[in-house]
């Protein structure tokens, strides 16, 4: 996703305006969140170890997750 691009998230599970709470079953119909991409990066490295007890075999596993940073521009209420 490019920096500055806009994305609409329409699978809203819960909405509250301070007075009323709307819980989706499974999603709230008509509600959406408009966000703007502000860049991407990589998370911290996660490391693990697989070990077979009697054969003394082991393997190191790990990786870093890629993420996109989003800035919430607006929240559209359900109708």
């Amino acid at each position: 996703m490019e920096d500055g691009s806009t994305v609409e998230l329409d699978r809203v599970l819960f909405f509250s305006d301070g007075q009323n709470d709307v819980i989706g079953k499974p999603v709230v119909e008509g509600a959406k969140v408009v966000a703007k991409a502000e860049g991407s990066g990589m998370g911290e490295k996660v490391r693990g170890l697989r070990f077979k007890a009697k054969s003394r075999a082991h393997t190191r596993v790990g990786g870093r997750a890629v993420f996109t940073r989003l800035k919430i521009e607006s929240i559209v209420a359900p109708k």
Side-chain angles (χ1 to χ4, degrees), residues 2-6 36-39:
E2 295 121 21
D3 291 349
S5 63
T6 303
K36 184 177 182 182
E38 288 196 335

Side-chain angles (χ1 to χ4, degrees), residues 29-66:
E29 295 296 328
K32 67 180 176 179
V33 177
V34 179
K36 184 177 182 182
E38 288 196 335
S40 60
M42 294 185 78
E44 292 186 18
K45 185 173 276 191
V46 177
R47 294 186 178 195
L49 181 69
R50 294 182 185 158
F51 183 75
K52 302 266 185 174
K54 295 180 181 169
S55 64
R56 296 183 184 160
H58 66 278
T59 305
R60 289 190 175 93
V61 295
R64 294 175 69 179
V66 178

